[in-house]
Amino acid sequence: MSKGKVLVVDDEIYIVHILDFSLGMEGYEVITALDGEQALERMKSERPDLVVLDIMMPKLDGYEVCKAIKSNPATKQTPVILLSAKGRNVDQKLGFDVGADDYITKPFSPRKLVERINQLLGQQVTERPTP
Amino acid sequence: MTPQATGDRSRRRPLGLLASLGSLSFGVRSAFDTAGLVSSIADHVMELARADQFALLLLNDETGELEGDHYERHRSSPTGHSRIAAEPKSFLGRVLRRETLVFEESGSERAPVAWQSGPSESLIGVPILIGTSLLGVSVIGYSRRITLTERRRRALLFLADQIGLAVDRIRTRSELDATRKRLEDSVLALRKVDEAKSDLISVVSHELRTPLTAIKAYTETLIDNLHSPSFTMQEKFLVIVNEECDRLSRIVNDVLDLSRMESGRRRLKAEPVSIARLLEEVTGTVAPELTHKDARLRTDLPADLPQVEADPDLLKQVLVNLIGNAAKFTRPGTDVVVRAGRQGERVTVSVEDHGLGIPADKLDRVFERFYRIEESGTDRVSGTGLGLAIVKSVVDLHGGSVRVESVVGEGSRFVFDLPIRQQGFRQLMRSLTPFFERPELKLLLQSCVEMVAEVMDARIVSFMFFNEEGTDLAIRASHGLDAETVVRTRVRLGDSVAGWVARTSENLCVENIESDRRFRRMNHPQYETKSLLCVPLRVAGETVGVINVNNKTTGTLLDQDDLSLLVAISRRVGVAIERVRAAGETGDISAMLATLRAIVRARRTRLLPGSRRLFKMATDVGKRLGMDEAELEVLGYVARVHDVGMLAVGEDVLGSGRRWTDTEHRQVEAHPQAGVQILRPIEFASKVNAIILSHHEHFDGRGYPRGLQGEEIPLGARVLAVLDAYESMVAGRPYREPFTSGEALAEIERCAGTQFDPRVVAEFARVLAEGSETERGYRDVVR
């Protein structure tokens, strides 16, 4: 049984792959999008429990996508984690202004990202299998 | 009026005048704007000198005209304005030429200035001088006849000094203002560059974080799962980490290349490059990309494609980037086509793919750094987003241009062109544009033209410069040509005299333009004589244009000796331009301007032995002594300028009409050093300095300034010593009657072995004997 459905949005295919892997290992069901428009389509069709959202993306950037999610009554409760190479305070503030629940700068630790997702979804941290 | 009263007044007035000068000095020092200053000067001068009219006419350095306002007694504002090109023999012309106070009784002269209160009965002109430079003339008019007492004369000269100081001060202030403005502008420009750099850094740091993010994420996941038996992705993850590391270093390299190119620190190492050869080398580099797409590289180059002057490494990078891009975007199984061809003086290269094409609204953005056509996909992982920006930078650096054409769904074509001729020529010409645009540099160029005109005794002189492409010449500074000719004249490389000289870089002396087989054309009416000189003007080792010289003021033909002199001068002009160019925007050109003006002034005031004879005889004696062409060139030039140091002595001493005091004598003796000092800003040949410095040495070691002896004294200086002595004896001194030619020669021969080199004296005597014939020869060919 899946711990929840996470939408991963990033135009860097390797980042999507590694998040798919890490969250999959953690027991989440992962769906992906490579740009902002795809992301909003997936929101509608897949109804994810949480969104990991890159900011600098073609077509529609992360801020716009986040604003759309948070202004739609059907999705506004869905937690959004912004993931960005923009590390400046103004960028972070802008992220919270559009309703993001967390803001993580790249490069990031997949382990810590998973911990944040667990917290936001109120899940117990599963013990990592030890050798 | 009783005689008693008159006597009183004449005693009191000059005293009062001198006593009040202090208040003028004060007024002059506290006035800040030119208009207020001149008005205050006018009031003071008219008051103190009991004059009725006053005008301060300042010399316009560019036009040579005198310009300024008129003031008249009991009027609070200027009563008129004059702009006068002073004829040499006019009242103003005499003040300018003699640089001393000139006094005129009425009737003897046409009024230089039209006063409202009618013509002056008595007129005084006083030159305004600062150091050795002439700023203008103050004109003081009287409605009554006056006598110029020594006291009044001295007071007026003192006044002129004060005016000079004030004018100089205001000019210095406005120059300072201009400099400050320039500095502020460059600070603004630098701030913009700085902002652009900050922007770049923020963009670059984002681009660097992208591969770094992948590396970090994959590595951490690898570590976390290192001992997990179910983990099987090790190899896949490591391959990705490795790829991203490569990408990271590509970005770093590209950013460094780009920033080096954009900051101009990357100097072009241009050499002739064959595009065909370069393409062969590139094929290997792009082969994997092409194979991956099952695409072929097709080239279409004409067999006679000329080599282009370019930096081979940079040009190779351009081709790799363009062909690599084309391979990436072309549809599988299609061709990437490279074509090249010649168009005039340029070579055009195009790279064509059969891919998706670029939407029209994105076309002009593809050369931006890190700009990517917004399209999600996997292909972009390999790019740095800098490839096309680098292409553009490299092409720009070579003076070329790049553009892109595209049809969506069919493909894109990138086209760039490069000039065939490079060698930094274009950059060099571009670096000269300030000389045609910035007022102070235009003035410098104009001063060079004036200097050439004076030293060559020429009525018409023009400097022509290439355009950036090196295909056309245009007049950028001239003396004696009408404005329309200056604007209209364009000469194509290779055409007519200037075009021929510019192409061959050879010095040219045409004795008769109408019969010369090479050019055979009718003489233009404004060139009174049919002979002309044209020499290349070289800056930093490159021919950037030509110097044309026509019409000697003497009306005689220009000959090979004149050509040799012009070559010597053109080298100095080239050095002057190069030095100013090298010093850049913050360089100070005042010393150089002072040099040029000093030469012009020295020649105009006839301080330098101006006669053609001296120059001719120096060259003739030099030839007889076996001097080679280079030595003769230097000797001829020095013969024209060597006494410029006399300016430091001043005409009041030289023209004093009496024997010199000991101090004055020492001043005169120091003139060789002063001359070297004055000429230094445009001098590069130590020989020139050596000759100037030693032309007053005596053969027996008893001369000045260093007491050199015999062969220690440069040969040129020994020649000059004889000629200088001869000229000065024949010309006479104010306190001594001129010698006849025979008397002068006898005196020189008497001093052979003591003051003069006997060998030089012997040759000089022969030249002098033949001289009369040569002079007859000159007369015959006049016009």
Side-chain angles (χ1 to χ4, degrees), chain B residues 493-674:
Chain B
L493 183 65
D495 284 358
S496 86
V497 174
W500 185 85
V501 170
R503 201 188 62 204
T504 59
S505 286
E506 282 186 37
N507 306 316
L508 183 74
C509 170
V510 177
E511 296 200 340
N512 184 341
I513 188 66
E514 287 172 14
S515 62
D516 194 298
R517 290 248 181 88
R518 288 167 294 190
F519 309 106
R520 199 179 279 270
R521 63 166 164 84
M522 286 311 288
N523 204 18
H524 192 278
Q526 71 178 304
Y527 300 122
E528 295 152 17
T529 54
K530 291 170 188 167
S531 70
L532 58 91
L533 301 178
C534 184
V535 300
L537 177 57
R538 298 170 72 87
V539 171
E542 278 271 357
T543 298
V544 298
V546 300
I547 300 181
N548 296 299
V549 169
N550 296 74
N551 289 20
K552 278 212 294 216
T553 48
T554 51
T556 50
L557 288 180
L558 290 152
D559 60 19
Q560 289 296 329
D561 290 338
D562 293 309
L563 183 66
S564 156
L565 177 60
L566 181 58
V567 169
I569 300 171
S570 74
R571 290 193 216 281
R572 270 118 199 125
V573 171
V575 164
I577 294 174
E578 174 55 14
R579 285 183 182 168
V580 170
R581 194 180 71 98
E585 210 153 299
T586 51
D588 182 11
I589 61 166
S590 56
M592 205 165 274
L593 274 176
T595 300
L596 297 166
R597 284 185 191 147
I599 296 176
V600 169
R601 238 166 57 73
R603 305 258 332 137
R604 281 196 186 145
T605 55
R606 298 288 171 239
L607 273 180
L608 305 188
S611 83
R612 276 197 59 63
R613 200 167 45 186
L614 184 129
F615 161 66
K616 276 280 172 222
M617 287 192 303
T619 322
D620 287 351
V621 172
K623 278 179 200 158
R624 285 172 168 274
L625 288 165
M627 287 185 159
D628 64 25
E629 215 170 294
E631 287 174 306
L632 285 171
E633 187 190 303
V634 167
L635 180 63
Y637 171 68
V638 174
R640 296 295 265 184
V641 300
H642 71 285
D643 264 352
V644 74
M646 282 291 193
L647 283 176
V649 181
E651 205 173 7
D652 48 335
V653 174
L654 296 175
S656 61
R658 54 173 167 77
R659 290 204 173 274
W660 297 326
T661 65
D662 284 352
T663 324
E664 286 166 352
H665 213 86
R666 271 194 300 279
Q667 261 188 303
V668 172
E669 288 200 350
H671 85 266
Q673 290 99 316

Side-chain angles (χ1 to χ4, degrees), chain A residues 35-46:
Chain A
D35 63 49
E37 281 176 8
Q38 273 185 21
L40 288 180
E41 280 167 27
R42 296 281 192 286
M43 282 304 291
K44 239 187 268 170
S45 58
E46 302 280 345

Side-chain angles (χ1 to χ4, degrees), chain B residues 689-707:
Chain B
N689 293 344
I691 295 178
I692 295 177
L693 213 49
S694 1
H695 75 281
H696 284 282
E697 298 288 356
H698 288 186
F699 200 65
D700 60 6
R702 297 166 78 173
Y704 62 90
R706 285 182 293 174

